[in-house]
Tab-separated table of all heavy atoms in Angstrom:
chain	number	residue	atom	x	y	z
N	111	ILE	N	53.531	235.075	119.178
N	111	ILE	CA	52.661	234.086	119.818
N	111	ILE	C	53.443	233.408	120.927
N	111	ILE	O	54.618	233.073	120.761
N	111	ILE	CB	52.152	233.054	118.793
N	111	ILE	CG1	51.297	233.744	117.723
N	111	ILE	CG2	51.356	231.950	119.478
N	111	ILE	CD1	50.910	232.841	116.579
N	112	LEU	N	52.803	233.203	122.038
N	112	LEU	CA	53.464	232.568	123.173
N	112	LEU	C	54.091	231.245	122.749
N	112	LEU	O	53.436	230.404	122.129
N	112	LEU	CB	52.471	232.322	124.306
N	112	LEU	CG	51.813	233.570	124.895
N	112	LEU	CD1	50.729	233.172	125.878
N	112	LEU	CD2	52.849	234.456	125.557
N	113	LYS	N	55.352	231.053	123.066
N	113	LYS	CA	56.089	229.862	122.646
N	113	LYS	C	55.429	228.573	123.124
N	113	LYS	O	55.368	227.595	122.391
N	113	LYS	CB	57.531	229.940	123.118
N	113	LYS	CG	58.345	230.932	122.322
N	113	LYS	CD	59.782	230.929	122.777
N	113	LYS	CE	60.634	231.730	121.962
N	113	LYS	NZ	61.002	232.883	121.755
N	114	ASP	N	54.940	228.557	124.368
N	114	ASP	CA	54.303	227.344	124.891
N	114	ASP	C	53.019	227.021	124.139
N	114	ASP	O	52.728	225.868	123.860
N	114	ASP	CB	54.009	227.487	126.390
N	114	ASP	CG	55.265	227.482	127.231
N	114	ASP	OD1	56.323	227.045	126.722
N	114	ASP	OD2	55.192	227.914	128.401
N	115	MET	N	52.240	228.057	123.811
N	115	MET	CA	51.009	227.839	123.058
N	115	MET	C	51.336	227.296	121.674
N	115	MET	O	50.750	226.305	121.225
N	115	MET	CB	50.219	229.137	122.928
N	115	MET	CG	48.900	228.965	122.184
N	115	MET	SD	48.011	230.510	121.994
N	115	MET	CE	48.667	231.057	120.430
N	116	LEU	N	52.274	227.923	121.007
N	116	LEU	CA	52.662	227.494	119.672
N	116	LEU	C	53.256	226.082	119.707
N	116	LEU	O	52.957	225.262	118.841
N	116	LEU	CB	53.659	228.485	119.073
N	116	LEU	CG	54.015	228.254	117.616
N	116	LEU	CD1	52.768	228.311	116.741
N	116	LEU	CD2	55.036	229.278	117.159
N	117	ALA	N	54.041	225.787	120.721
N	117	ALA	CA	54.645	224.454	120.836
N	117	ALA	C	53.563	223.382	120.969
N	117	ALA	O	53.661	222.312	120.365
N	117	ALA	CB	55.609	224.402	122.019
N	118	GLY	N	52.527	223.666	121.728
N	118	GLY	CA	51.429	222.710	121.875
N	118	GLY	C	50.707	222.469	120.567
N	118	GLY	O	50.422	221.326	120.196
N	119	LEU	N	50.415	223.538	119.848
N	119	LEU	CA	49.760	223.399	118.545
N	119	LEU	C	50.643	222.628	117.570
N	119	LEU	O	50.162	221.783	116.813
N	119	LEU	CB	49.427	224.784	117.979
N	119	LEU	CG	48.314	225.547	118.690
N	119	LEU	CD1	48.307	227.012	118.263
N	119	LEU	CD2	46.972	224.904	118.451
N	120	MET	N	51.933	222.916	117.590
N	120	MET	CA	52.844	222.253	116.653
N	120	MET	C	53.046	220.777	117.011
N	120	MET	O	53.217	219.953	116.117
N	120	MET	CB	54.180	222.995	116.591
N	120	MET	CG	54.053	224.396	115.993
N	120	MET	SD	53.122	224.489	114.428
N	120	MET	CE	54.186	223.576	113.350
N	121	ARG	N	53.012	220.434	118.301
N	121	ARG	CA	53.078	219.013	118.683
N	121	ARG	C	51.893	218.253	118.106
N	121	ARG	O	52.034	217.140	117.601
N	121	ARG	CB	53.130	218.863	120.203
N	121	ARG	CG	54.516	218.963	120.792
N	121	ARG	CD	54.563	218.524	122.252
N	121	ARG	NE	53.650	219.251	123.117
N	121	ARG	CZ	53.918	220.423	123.689
N	121	ARG	NH1	55.073	221.010	123.491
N	121	ARG	NH2	53.029	220.999	124.471
N	122	THR	N	50.720	218.864	118.165
N	122	THR	CA	49.534	218.240	117.574
N	122	THR	C	49.713	218.102	116.072
N	122	THR	O	49.420	217.041	115.497
N	122	THR	CB	48.267	219.040	117.911
N	122	THR	OG1	48.135	219.108	119.335
N	122	THR	CG2	47.031	218.396	117.313
N	123	GLU	N	50.206	219.146	115.415
N	123	GLU	CA	50.448	219.079	113.967
N	123	GLU	C	51.434	217.952	113.632
N	123	GLU	O	51.228	217.215	112.665
N	123	GLU	CB	50.988	220.416	113.435
N	123	GLU	CG	49.983	221.529	113.413
N	123	GLU	CD	48.795	221.271	112.499
N	123	GLU	OE1	48.950	220.611	111.447
N	123	GLU	OE2	47.696	221.728	112.838
N	124	ASP	N	52.500	217.842	114.408
N	124	ASP	CA	53.494	216.791	114.166
N	124	ASP	C	52.865	215.410	114.300
N	124	ASP	O	53.121	214.517	113.494
N	124	ASP	CB	54.677	216.921	115.130
N	124	ASP	CG	55.543	218.127	114.832
N	124	ASP	OD1	55.443	218.693	113.713
N	124	ASP	OD2	56.307	218.525	115.730
N	125	THR	N	52.024	215.238	115.304
N	125	THR	CA	51.344	213.954	115.507
N	125	THR	C	50.420	213.653	114.333
N	125	THR	O	50.418	212.535	113.804
N	125	THR	CB	50.547	213.969	116.826
N	125	THR	OG1	51.461	214.191	117.905
N	125	THR	CG2	49.807	212.662	117.043
N	126	LEU	N	49.646	214.648	113.904
N	126	LEU	CA	48.720	214.449	112.791
N	126	LEU	C	49.452	214.150	111.488
N	126	LEU	O	48.965	213.393	110.654
N	126	LEU	CB	47.797	215.661	112.630
N	126	LEU	CG	46.831	215.903	113.791
N	126	LEU	CD1	46.089	217.220	113.594
N	126	LEU	CD2	45.878	214.744	113.971
N	127	SER	N	50.626	214.722	111.323
N	127	SER	CA	51.391	214.484	110.090
N	127	SER	C	51.922	213.058	110.009
N	127	SER	O	52.351	212.619	108.950
N	127	SER	CB	52.537	215.488	109.964
N	127	SER	OG	53.562	215.182	110.884
N	128	GLN	N	51.880	212.338	111.106
N	128	GLN	CA	52.383	210.964	111.132
N	128	GLN	C	51.289	209.908	110.936
N	128	GLN	O	51.573	208.711	110.993
N	128	GLN	CB	53.132	210.716	112.440
N	128	GLN	CG	54.375	211.579	112.550
N	128	GLN	CD	55.061	211.433	113.889
N	128	GLN	OE1	54.981	210.404	114.529
N	128	GLN	NE2	55.740	212.491	114.314
N	129	LEU	N	50.056	210.335	110.708
N	129	LEU	CA	48.983	209.376	110.455
N	129	LEU	C	49.285	208.661	109.138
N	129	LEU	O	49.387	209.302	108.096
N	129	LEU	CB	47.625	210.084	110.378
N	129	LEU	CG	47.164	210.797	111.638
N	129	LEU	CD1	45.846	211.533	111.375
N	129	LEU	CD2	47.021	209.836	112.808
N	130	GLU	N	49.428	207.360	109.184
N	130	GLU	CA	49.827	206.602	107.997
N	130	GLU	C	48.647	206.095	107.176
N	130	GLU	O	48.830	205.657	106.052
N	130	GLU	CB	50.728	205.441	108.409
N	130	GLU	CG	52.034	205.912	109.016
N	130	GLU	CD	52.918	204.761	109.451
N	130	GLU	OE1	52.517	203.588	109.295
N	130	GLU	OE2	54.025	205.050	109.941
N	131	TRP	N	47.453	206.149	107.687
N	131	TRP	CA	46.290	205.563	107.020
N	131	TRP	C	45.505	206.580	106.179
N	131	TRP	O	44.495	206.244	105.574
N	131	TRP	CB	45.373	204.900	108.050
N	131	TRP	CG	45.091	205.787	109.230
N	131	TRP	CD1	45.787	205.828	110.402
N	131	TRP	CD2	44.073	206.783	109.332
N	131	TRP	NE1	45.257	206.795	111.221
N	131	TRP	CE2	44.206	207.390	110.593
N	131	TRP	CE3	43.066	207.218	108.468
N	131	TRP	CZ2	43.366	208.402	111.024
N	131	TRP	CZ3	42.235	208.223	108.898
N	131	TRP	CH2	42.390	208.800	110.166
N	132	ILE	N	45.974	207.818	106.137
N	132	ILE	CA	45.317	208.826	105.305
N	132	ILE	C	46.398	209.670	104.632
N	132	ILE	O	47.403	210.016	105.252
N	132	ILE	CB	44.337	209.710	106.124
N	132	ILE	CG1	43.501	210.585	105.193
N	132	ILE	CG2	45.056	210.484	107.200
N	132	ILE	CD1	42.276	211.193	105.852
N	133	ASP	N	46.184	209.974	103.361
N	133	ASP	CA	47.205	210.705	102.625
N	133	ASP	C	47.090	212.216	102.854
N	133	ASP	O	46.028	212.735	103.184
N	133	ASP	CB	47.141	210.374	101.130
N	133	ASP	CG	45.814	210.765	100.521
N	133	ASP	OD1	44.840	209.996	100.681
N	133	ASP	OD2	45.751	211.836	99.898
N	134	THR	N	48.202	212.893	102.670
N	134	THR	CA	48.286	214.330	102.887
N	134	THR	C	47.369	215.082	101.938
N	134	THR	O	46.769	216.100	102.323
N	134	THR	CB	49.737	214.809	102.734
N	134	THR	OG1	50.553	214.057	103.637
N	134	THR	CG2	49.882	216.284	103.049
N	135	ARG	N	47.222	214.613	100.711
N	135	ARG	CA	46.343	215.288	99.752
N	135	ARG	C	44.920	215.366	100.302
N	135	ARG	O	44.279	216.417	100.263
N	135	ARG	CB	46.343	214.562	98.401
N	135	ARG	CG	45.521	215.299	97.333
N	135	ARG	CD	45.235	214.413	96.139
N	135	ARG	NE	44.492	213.212	96.470
N	135	ARG	CZ	43.162	213.158	96.679
N	135	ARG	NH1	42.423	214.236	96.579
N	135	ARG	NH2	42.575	212.014	96.968
N	136	THR	N	44.430	214.271	100.864
N	136	THR	CA	43.080	214.239	101.432
N	136	THR	C	42.979	215.169	102.639
N	136	THR	O	42.002	215.905	102.783
N	136	THR	CB	42.677	212.810	101.809
N	136	THR	OG1	42.741	211.987	100.644
N	136	THR	CG2	41.286	212.750	102.402
N	137	LEU	N	43.995	215.153	103.487
N	137	LEU	CA	43.981	216.043	104.652
N	137	LEU	C	43.967	217.504	104.219
N	137	LEU	O	43.261	218.328	104.815
N	137	LEU	CB	45.183	215.765	105.551
N	137	LEU	CG	45.147	214.457	106.322
N	137	LEU	CD1	46.452	214.248	107.073
N	137	LEU	CD2	43.962	214.414	107.271
N	138	GLU	N	44.731	217.832	103.187
N	138	GLU	CA	44.753	219.220	102.716
N	138	GLU	C	43.418	219.618	102.090
N	138	GLU	O	42.986	220.761	102.229
N	138	GLU	CB	45.910	219.453	101.751
N	138	GLU	CG	47.262	219.454	102.414
N	138	GLU	CD	47.408	220.481	103.528
N	138	GLU	OE1	46.820	221.578	103.438
N	138	GLU	OE2	48.115	220.192	104.508
N	139	LEU	N	42.752	218.686	101.414
N	139	LEU	CA	41.427	218.952	100.872
N	139	LEU	C	40.468	219.324	102.007
N	139	LEU	O	39.733	220.311	101.928
N	139	LEU	CB	40.901	217.736	100.107
N	139	LEU	CG	39.507	217.867	99.492
N	139	LEU	CD1	39.542	218.788	98.284
N	139	LEU	CD2	38.976	216.485	99.097
N	140	VAL	N	40.508	218.550	103.079
N	140	VAL	CA	39.647	218.807	104.233
N	140	VAL	C	40.021	220.123	104.906
N	140	VAL	O	39.147	220.923	105.268
N	140	VAL	CB	39.713	217.631	105.233
N	140	VAL	CG1	38.993	217.962	106.527
N	140	VAL	CG2	39.135	216.379	104.607
N	141	ARG	N	41.301	220.368	105.065
N	141	ARG	CA	41.747	221.620	105.681
N	141	ARG	C	41.309	222.827	104.846
N	141	ARG	O	40.904	223.862	105.392
N	141	ARG	CB	43.264	221.598	105.864
N	141	ARG	CG	43.702	220.657	106.971
N	141	ARG	CD	45.206	220.521	107.019
N	141	ARG	NE	45.619	219.748	108.165
N	141	ARG	CZ	46.607	218.871	108.162
N	141	ARG	NH1	47.318	218.657	107.042
N	141	ARG	NH2	46.917	218.200	109.249
N	142	TYR	N	41.384	222.696	103.548
N	142	TYR	CA	40.940	223.772	102.665
N	142	TYR	C	39.435	224.013	102.853
N	142	TYR	O	38.982	225.162	102.967
N	142	TYR	CB	41.274	223.426	101.212
N	142	TYR	CG	40.864	224.495	100.243
N	142	TYR	CD1	41.622	225.659	100.095
N	142	TYR	CD2	39.717	224.356	99.471
N	142	TYR	CE1	41.241	226.653	99.208
N	142	TYR	CE2	39.332	225.347	98.578
N	142	TYR	CZ	40.105	226.490	98.454
N	142	TYR	OH	39.712	227.472	97.580
N	143	TYR	N	38.665	222.939	102.905
N	143	TYR	CA	37.217	223.056	103.072
N	143	TYR	C	36.873	223.715	104.407
N	143	TYR	O	36.023	224.610	104.468
N	143	TYR	CB	36.571	221.678	102.957
N	143	TYR	CG	35.076	221.690	103.110
N	143	TYR	CD1	34.274	222.437	102.260
N	143	TYR	CD2	34.455	220.953	104.112
N	143	TYR	CE1	32.893	222.448	102.394
N	143	TYR	CE2	33.078	220.952	104.246
N	143	TYR	CZ	32.307	221.706	103.394
N	143	TYR	OH	30.938	221.726	103.528
N	144	ILE	N	37.527	223.304	105.473
N	144	ILE	CA	37.266	223.895	106.788
N	144	ILE	C	37.600	225.383	106.773
N	144	ILE	O	36.863	226.206	107.319
N	144	ILE	CB	38.059	223.160	107.885
N	144	ILE	CG1	37.566	221.715	108.015
N	144	ILE	CG2	37.947	223.880	109.231
N	144	ILE	CD1	38.517	220.813	108.767
N	145	SER	N	38.703	225.735	106.130
N	145	SER	CA	39.088	227.141	106.029
N	145	SER	C	38.055	227.940	105.247
N	145	SER	O	37.783	229.102	105.571
N	145	SER	CB	40.467	227.271	105.380
N	145	SER	OG	41.441	226.642	106.187
N	146	ALA	N	37.452	227.326	104.222
N	146	ALA	CA	36.377	227.979	103.473
N	146	ALA	C	35.153	228.167	104.363
N	146	ALA	O	34.540	229.244	104.378
N	146	ALA	CB	36.022	227.171	102.226
N	147	LEU	N	34.799	227.127	105.117
N	147	LEU	CA	33.651	227.230	106.023
N	147	LEU	C	33.848	228.338	107.052
N	147	LEU	O	32.908	229.050	107.403
N	147	LEU	CB	33.418	225.899	106.753
N	147	LEU	CG	32.905	224.728	105.936
N	147	LEU	CD1	32.891	223.461	106.775
N	147	LEU	CD2	31.517	225.017	105.372
N	148	ASN	N	35.084	228.472	107.534
N	148	ASN	CA	35.376	229.452	108.576
N	148	ASN	C	35.786	230.815	108.020
N	148	ASN	O	36.022	231.744	108.795
N	148	ASN	CB	36.476	228.921	109.508
N	148	ASN	CG	35.961	227.821	110.394
N	148	ASN	OD1	34.806	227.825	110.805
N	148	ASN	ND2	36.810	226.859	110.695
N	149	GLY	N	35.882	230.941	106.701
N	149	GLY	CA	36.218	232.218	106.092
N	149	GLY	C	37.599	232.730	106.463
N	149	GLY	O	37.783	233.926	106.670
N	150	CYS	N	38.574	231.841	106.519
N	150	CYS	CA	39.933	232.228	106.886
N	150	CYS	C	40.789	232.359	105.623
N	150	CYS	O	41.238	231.359	105.056
N	150	CYS	CB	40.544	231.205	107.846
N	150	CYS	SG	42.197	231.678	108.385
Side-chain angles (χ1 to χ4, degrees):
I111 297 172
L112 299 173
K113 286 183 173 81
D114 290 343
M115 182 182 91
L116 187 59
L119 290 166
M120 294 311 294
R121 275 192 304 275
T122 301
E123 289 297 327
D124 290 343
T125 300
L126 294 173
S127 73
Q128 295 175 28
L129 297 176
E130 296 179 359
W131 48 268
I132 190 164
D133 61 280
T134 304
R135 185 195 60 79
T136 302
L137 289 175
E138 289 303 326
L139 179 73
V140 172
R141 288 173 173 141
Y142 181 77
Y143 180 59
I144 295 164
S145 297
L147 290 173
N148 288 326
C150 182

